[in-house]
Amino acid sequence: MASDYARLLKQDFADMTAAADSWQRVSRGMDSAFDQHRTKVTGPLHAAWEGDDAQAALKFLEDIEMRINVVRTEAMTISKAIETVRFRMEQAQTDLRNAVRSAESEGFVVDDTGSVGEAVCETDESPDEAQNKLDRMKRFQEEIDTAVKDARKASADGHHALSELRGEIMDRTNKHMAAEAAADTQQAVKDLGVKGPQIPKDPKDAAAWWKGLDEASRQEYATMYPEQIGKTNGLPSAVRDDANRLALDQQLNYVDGSDQGVPGIPEHRHNLEVLKAELDKRDGATGNKKLYLLDFDGAEDGKAVIAMGNPDTADNVGVHVPGTATDMDSTGGQLSRIGKLQRSAERADPSANTSMVYWLGYDAPEIPSDDAPNLAVAGTTRADDAAPDLRNFTHGLRASHEGADRAHMTVLGHSYGTTVVGDAAAGGNGLDTDSISVVGSPGMTVDEASDLHINPHHFYTGVAEGDLIIHAQNLTLGPDPNTYEFGGTRFRTDTHGHSGYWDDNSQSLANQGKIIAGKEPTRETHAPSHM
């Protein structure tokens, strides 16, 4: 039986390369199958089916989707494990061959077991010469032994890593298989000493990093590290959506059935379920109504960043930042709002493709009450915390945009969301946006529009009759941005109250659509100098 030394010296690793490629193809096939099943089967059925039988059928179909994702994740990890072992063993083989070649070039012989010996025993050597020869033999023997040892370690690590990947997709009783597949992947790469993706923090650098990867590496990272990839600003929106949906299913599978007595678990589960349900309702949407999940967080009140239409390919991009009391339960209503803004922009310019983004990437203040007094809404702390994240997000949209023509970007804010927009626009290098539009603003942390890193002529503000925000102005959030002294353009509103700015067939909505489309809104001619 050939020794490990002899086998390593002559080993051909083509079969391992082929196996790794085959498992990666399985993973890619599952990714495609999941997307088709979600958009062509369960998506349309969510919109068309009703009743108990329909819900039972959908639950069964969604279970199939989960199992498809388990295969996707574990097949990619198997591919990575095989490829890593192959790479490490090839390195060991190279080290071994170099050691043997060097030994033979100095007159030594290496037998079939890997032992180094003298080719000819010279009797007239001096003691120093003999010792030098022994030292060199020992060095070559150590190099050969180390190479064989490294190959054995690679093989053992690979065996241990692959044993973690159990799949268990046929086990109908395993309710946590998606979460377990994610955990198995992390354990397997740890066993192999594989480092995760080293993603640059700057969105432009992250975009360049992604473009420099080959397709196999992109597939690997999106499948094995979905949470990291999904949260990275600057990466393509379609990639982030795919990764985030995988991460969402894994996280939801993890908290499903977890100890509901653990603080935070019930809220976390509820938030993820709400987000999943709102996405499911629209899975059959196509074109610029298709949703892209660009970020999410189920903790506390929940966070979600969702694009309607692909912002990477759109002519016009609007980023809507909501205000006070917005949480994960607000997702359905907020998606309705950005849908109205998108339609309004398309009416203003039918020739342009518009994408709208709902950005709840921050912890919006709660409404104070006697039972739950809360001063967050009157201070800038939440806005200060959110500002860098909003800046990174808008700069990431610039970095991920496709084509030579720059998209016309508008950042919109409502209520305390305008405070976030102002804080973000004033800091760093601003939002790199073409226009800013705010409604119902209590203050933007700055003294005037020129502080927002934008041409003041492209700052627009509207306030409706009966919007009680005009009675809540205070200097803690900055001066009233709805005055002529602040600068910019006041557009006409014809709605009432703090939440009517998106009423159908209103000038309030039409003017916001014009701004998103890069058109001038109808101006308010009777705005007072202070409100």
Side-chain angles (χ1 to χ4, degrees), residues 288-419:
N288 67 350
K289 293 300 178 184
K290 181 178 179 180
L291 297 187
Y292 295 80
L293 180 59
L294 303 182
D295 201 359
F296 74 96
D297 187 344
E300 299 178 337
D301 290 338
K303 299 176 183 177
V305 180
I306 304 171
M308 183 175 289
N310 191 339
D312 298 345
T313 57
D315 303 306
N316 300 316
V317 177
V319 180
H320 170 65
V321 183
T324 305
T326 309
D327 56 19
M328 195 68 86
D329 286 324
S330 309
T331 303
Q334 291 293 337
L335 289 176
S336 177
R337 282 185 180 178
I338 66 170
K340 290 184 177 184
L341 288 167
Q342 184 187 60
R343 288 192 296 272
S344 182
E346 290 170 343
R347 284 194 291 268
D349 185 358
S351 67
N353 179 23
T354 299
S355 169
M356 282 299 307
V357 181
Y358 164 53
W359 192 87
L360 182 63
Y362 80 110
D363 184 13
E366 299 77 19
I367 297 177
S369 67
D370 293 337
D371 296 331
N374 189 326
L375 298 179
V377 72
T380 63
T381 300
R382 300 285 180 93
D384 294 340
D385 292 342
D389 294 330
L390 180 56
R391 278 196 298 273
N392 281 335
F393 178 75
T394 57
H395 283 261
L397 289 182
R398 290 299 191 196
S400 63
H401 190 73
E402 300 174 11
D405 295 333
R406 175 183 167 101
H408 179 271
M409 186 188 299
T410 303
V411 177
L412 306 96
H414 172 236
S415 188
Y416 193 87
T418 71
T419 309

